[in-house]
Each structure stands twice: as C-alpha cells, then as structure tokens.
Amino acid sequence: MIGTPPRRRGRRGQNAGGHEAGSTRNVNYRNLRNPFPAMSVFSEDRIDAMHSAALNVLETLGVKVLLPEARALFKAAGARVYEDSLMVFIGRDIVEANVALAPKSVPILGGTRNRDLVLELGSLVFQPGAGAPHATDLERGRRPGTDQDFRELIQLTHHFDVLHMLPPLVEPQNVPMHLRHYMMMETQLTQSDKVPFVFSRGTPQVEDSLQMLKEFRGLSEDEFAANAHCYTIINTNSPRQIDVPMAQGLIDFARAGQVSIITPFTLMGAMAPITVAGAITLSHAEALAAITLTQLAKPGAPICYGTFTSNVDMKSGAPVFGTPEHFKASLAAGQLARKLGLPWRSASGSAANINDVQSANETQFGTWGCLMAGATVIIHAAGWLEGGLTVSYEKLITDMEVLQMVAELCAEAQANEADIAMEALADVQPGGHFFGTGHTMERYKTEFYEPLVADFANFGTWTERGAIDTNTRATGVWKGILENFDPPKTSADKRGALKDFIAKRTEAGGAPPES
C-alpha cells in the first residue's frame, strides 16, 4: 500500500523556507545566489586557446545555416556565405563585436513580481527535467507523455519554490503538434505564475504563444517589448549546423525581446570530439555563432549562453550523464562563460532507467558539477531519467530533497551572539546535554532543515510504520501535492479569453511546426 509518511511538510519554501504555517524559519528559496567559488578545470591560457580555436572554427571551417533569412543576416554583417552549400564563415571580428552586445544581466518577469528572476553570473536558477517523450510513476508505470502528465508535472514544478522556471517537462503526445503549443501555454499560464517556456517550432507557433502570454498577463505591446517574460531553448545540430526552426527561433525571440537559452548538445565521442577540450571548443563555437545571429537580428537581445556536454558509453553509443567527464565539461563551460561575462545554462541529468541509486548518484554528481562551475540556470536537476526519455514523478520528489538542501546552503550562515550560544554553553555542565536548554527549546522547531521525503526514524520505528521505502514515500508526497493543489488566482475573464483564442485558432487549423 502506498502511503504518505508521517509529519510530511506542505509546500516547500512557500512560507519561511518551506516549513509549515506558523514556523518562523526564514530561508528564501525564490532568489538564490550561488555561494560556492567557481572551480576551474583548465588553466586560463588553455581556456584562451579554446576560445581562439572556436573563433577559428567559425572563420575557417564555418557553420551550416539552413535558414535563408539567417544566412542573409550573416552576409549583411560581412560573413562569407555560400548558398550552394549553405555554409557561413563568420570572421572573429564579427563574432566578437556582436557577442559584446549581448546583455550580461537579463531580467525576466514572472506572472507576479515575486516570481521575477535576474539571469546573470552568480544567480542560481533550477529547472526540473525537460523534453521527455515519456512519463513514469510507480502507480501508472512508464507511458507516452499526455496532457494530464504535462499538467500534473507543471503543478509539481509550481509547488516547489526552488524550481524557478517552467520547462517542457514532457511532450503531451496525445495532442497533435499543430495544437500542442496552445495546450502547453494554457497549462503554464493557468497552473503557475512562474516564467513560462515557449517552443521554437516556427514563427506561427511562437506568435500564437506570445500573443496568449501578452493577453493573459494584460500586457500592452510596449510593456511586453520592454521586458522579457518567457524563454525558449535553442539546440544547435552538432557538429556545426543550425537548422531552420532553431535559426528562426533565434531571430523571432531576439526581435520580440524574449530570452533564448542557446544550448549546443555535444556528446563526446559521438557528435563532438572525444576529449573534454575538443567537445567544449565545438560547443563554444556553436554558441558563439548562435549568439551572433541573435544580435544581428536585434542588438542587445537577451540571451543565455548554454552548454550540455557529456560523453557516451563507448560500448553501446548511449549517452551518459553525471560522469566525471560531464562534470569537467561543466567546469570548462563555466570558465568560457565567465570569459564572456554572460549568464549561462548548464545541465544535470541521469541515464539510469529507474529512480534508483544510480539515478541519484548521476543527478547529484551532475548537479554539483553545475554548481561548482557557477552555472546560472541548471536544467534537468530533478526527475530526469533515461538520458531524457522519461520524467519520473518519484525522482522529481527525491531530487527535490537535494535541491532544497542546496538552497539552504545558499542562505547566509548566522553567527551573532545568540547563535554563538555562550549562555547555553554555561547552562550545561561537562558530560550533560543541550536538549532541554532554553536556547534549544526556542529554536528546535525551526533551526534545522526538515526533509521532504527522507525518513530519519530508527530501524524499529521505521519498521513499525510499515517499512516504507523512499520511492514509495515519494509517491505519497507527489500524490498529496496534486490532491491539494491550489493554482494561482486568475480572473475568469482572462481564462475565458484564453480558451476563446485557442478555440478560434484551432478552428482556423492551428499552427503546424516548421521543419
């Protein structure tokens, strides 16, 4: 029988760091700064060499750009463009001049002001796993993602304050592609007030999504253009190719003043050189090319430098994550991002097939690589299995334990006179204990982080309670959240107008994705 363990807390971080109403514990999970000094894996001269090599790649080897409008922008800037091969050769002067235009601090507004974010070096933003075709949980098993799964996972993401942005957790495959963006945007807007995601699958879908966002948030054209309100993720086609939807997305989002998180996906030994330095050099070159395109489309367009570099299992060719190579690649990407001064996105993740010890190890190791690298945005930090093929409800909950503990580490440690506790030290004689001191009694309810899913009971007590394992406890947690979910308050008029827009556009045939 699946049950919720006793003393389970409610909404984490919503009140005083996640503790129940009436607590005075105060840890803000919504606006985090990375407290750890950034690590380096390469010396600065080697990072300079990799940056120079990436510029050389763009200038002498070139990048294939499939969208004619993008090639025209590069050509107008002085790049060499060959229409027969679709190859673009971008001089380093063009790259350096345009990358310098990208803002180093990117405000992005949520549905309410306490959901606003600033993407810059030093800030810390978490996202759960994204882009999976499947969902899984212990009760319903592994299955193709549906609109119900997407809705539930958005609700779980909204519930936890340490998850700051909404990603496309699973693809709702029961919704046709030409209508899917309507369902996904409606769900994000009505079930959360966090920063939403928009797929770059062609201008018509982007325009639909931005229009829904503007109208639901009550923004004029000028108000929308004045700030970023949403983001997309742009993946280059490694090695050295930018396809039509991605190039169009870069242009569309730049001109709309919305954020592109530019993320080459390079796997060492597969679509990238087998070495960390080689793979990161390729990733850096592709990111520079894409950033340059955004600035050619609109100087000052908000972007986030990104990377997702790991390795493959050379026995099977399957991608793997949370490896030492993945960790090192994150560190190297961080060094290059700092060289540019840009906010940047890295990724955790797991190749494990179920929520087990392997999956926990890989995700936690991958997440710590991102943290030590100084990443601004860390995606796939909760729930991601099978190298991105599945999002697990139970894993999302068990990974939240780690993210919330990281958030606790972001809080400033206190050491005032009361914290030093001289009075308590004087109260307790040698060989005594501090359980009953006034200092302890004043603080015992709020001093420590209380776990979301871990069970600190001894073996006897745990056995008496039914010997419930962590996965089963996690099932009870996510079910309890969904059963009690209370979405942000929105007006019936806005919800009605959103449904009317979707009905009208659906009747008109929707918006097929571009390829």
Side-chain angles (χ1 to χ4, degrees):
M1 176 179 176
I2 293 175
T4 304
R7 299 177 62 232
R8 188 61 53 222
R9 295 296 191 185
R11 190 172 192 148
R12 303 298 300 180
Q14 284 297 305
N15 182 39
H19 290 266
E20 62 192 4
S23 164
T24 57
R25 183 171 176 76
N26 186 17
V27 180
N28 182 358
Y29 289 1
R30 296 193 180 193
N31 295 283
L32 304 180
R33 304 289 298 181
N34 192 327
F36 308 108
M39 289 177 60
S40 298
V41 65
F42 295 112
S43 62
E44 284 306 308
D45 69 304
R46 290 299 82 202
I47 289 295
D48 289 343
M50 291 161 64
H51 177 65
S52 180
L55 293 172
N56 193 42
V57 165
L58 296 179
E59 192 165 46
T60 64
L61 301 181
V63 59
K64 192 172 186 178
V65 180
L66 304 190
L67 181 71
E69 183 181 3
R71 294 195 302 275
L73 286 171
F74 279 122
K75 186 174 184 178
R80 290 183 292 122
V81 177
Y82 296 88
E83 291 295 333
D84 54 344
S85 63
L86 311 182
M87 291 298 295
V88 176
F89 298 83
I90 316 167
R92 63 180 57 212
D93 56 332
I94 299 171
V95 176
E96 290 174 339
N98 282 280
V99 170
L101 298 175
K104 294 178 171 54
S105 182
V106 179
I108 182 167
L109 305 188
T112 55
R113 297 291 67 81
N114 61 6
R115 296 297 192 188
D116 295 350
L117 303 170
V118 177
L119 305 183
E120 61 187 10
L121 291 176
S123 62
L124 181 57
V125 172
F126 288 112
Q127 295 184 23
H134 297 92
T136 189
D137 63 70
L138 290 183
E139 292 199 337
R140 295 170 289 186
R142 186 179 186 271
R143 57 198 180 273
T146 65
D147 54 343
Q148 179 180 341
D149 294 318
F150 183 78
R151 182 182 182 89
E152 290 176 350
L153 289 166
I154 287 292
Q155 290 173 344
L156 292 174
T157 301
H158 177 76
H159 176 85
F160 293 102
D161 277 354
V162 76
L163 298 175
H164 305 99
M165 302 170 79
L166 303 177
L169 291 103
V170 295
E171 286 270 7
Q173 295 184 58
N174 61 329
V175 181
M177 284 283 285
H178 68 292
L179 304 176
R180 192 175 296 173
H181 61 295
Y182 301 129
M183 175 266 153
M184 295 177 75
M185 182 54 75
E186 180 186 25
T187 299
Q188 291 183 86
L189 292 175
T190 61
Q191 301 304 303
S192 182
D193 54 4
K194 296 183 181 182
V195 173
F197 169 85
V198 176
F199 271 121
S200 290
R201 289 177 171 165
T203 301
Q205 290 200 2
V206 169
E207 289 179 344
D208 277 345
S209 299
L210 298 188
Q211 188 65 31
M212 293 166 70
L213 176 57
K214 279 186 284 192
E215 292 183 2
F216 192 82
R217 296 270 171 89
L219 300 169
S220 68
E221 292 291 336
D222 289 342
E223 288 171 331
F224 186 77
N227 291 288
H229 302 269
C230 62
Y231 75 103
T232 194
I233 294 176
I234 299 294
N235 297 124
T236 52
N237 306 115
S238 304
R240 294 189 295 123
Q241 180 169 281
I242 305 175
D243 68 18
V244 170
M246 296 294 95
Q248 190 65 63
L250 289 167
I251 294 170
D252 289 343
F253 269 71
R255 289 176 175 163
Q258 305 306 302
V259 178
S260 290
I261 298 181
I262 296 166
T263 310
F265 181 33
T266 47
L267 290 171
M268 300 173 224
M271 67 273 284
I274 199 168
T275 57
V276 171
I280 284 295
T281 297
L282 173 63
S283 174
H284 189 57
E286 293 176 359
L288 292 175
I291 293 169
T292 298
L293 178 57
T294 65
Q295 304 308 305
L296 292 175
K298 184 179 180 181
I303 60 93
C304 190
Y305 175 96
T307 182
F308 194 4
T309 299
S310 190
N311 56 301
V312 297
D313 173 21
M314 296 308 295
K315 295 177 182 178
S316 66
V320 291
F321 304 95
T323 63
E325 294 74 25
H326 182 187
F327 196 119
K328 291 176 183 178
S330 295
L331 296 181
Q335 289 182 263
L336 287 163
R338 292 192 296 277
K339 181 178 181 64
L340 301 177
L342 295 175
W344 73 288
R345 174 264 208 196
S346 193
S348 182
S350 170
N353 294 305
I354 62 172
N355 186 31
D356 60 4
V357 172
Q358 177 186 336
S359 78
N361 288 346
E362 289 173 349
T363 300
Q364 186 168 165
F365 197 66
T367 299
W368 277 106
C370 299
L371 289 167
M372 296 296 93
T376 307
V377 179
I378 303 176
I379 196 172
H380 308 321
W384 215 59
L385 284 174
E386 299 179 64
L389 293 180
T390 302
V391 166
S392 160
Y393 284 55
E394 283 79 24
K395 182 167 172 59
L396 192 148
I397 297 300
T398 56
D399 287 337
M400 290 309 306
E401 195 83 88
V402 174
L403 299 188
Q404 291 186 159
M405 288 193 287
V406 170
E408 295 277 333
L409 296 178
C410 294
E412 182 181 0
Q414 298 299 313
N416 58 34
E417 294 303 314
D419 295 307
I420 293 171
M422 190 64 194
E423 184 176 342
L425 289 167
D427 284 346
V428 178
Q429 297 303 308
H433 64 76
F434 289 82
F435 281 116
T437 65
H439 189 266
T440 299
M441 297 305 291
E442 290 170 1
R443 298 165 177 250
Y444 77 94
K445 289 184 178 180
T446 60
E447 189 65 21
F448 303 142
Y449 168 78
E450 183 160 352
L452 170 69
V453 71
D455 190 337
F456 291 166
N458 62 34
F459 186 82
T461 302
W462 173 73
T463 302
E464 290 171 2
R465 291 175 178 171
I468 302 171
D469 64 20
T470 303
N471 256 340
T472 306
R473 291 196 299 273
T475 303
V477 173
W478 69 254
K479 286 181 67 178
I481 293 170
L482 295 181
E483 287 167 2
N484 296 289
F485 185 75
D486 184 21
K489 298 296 184 287
T490 55
S491 75
D493 287 346
K494 287 185 176 180
R495 294 194 302 273
L498 190 59
K499 288 187 178 295
D500 289 344
F501 177 91
I502 293 171
K504 182 178 180 180
R505 293 292 294 123
T506 299
E507 186 178 356
E514 296 177 357
S515 60

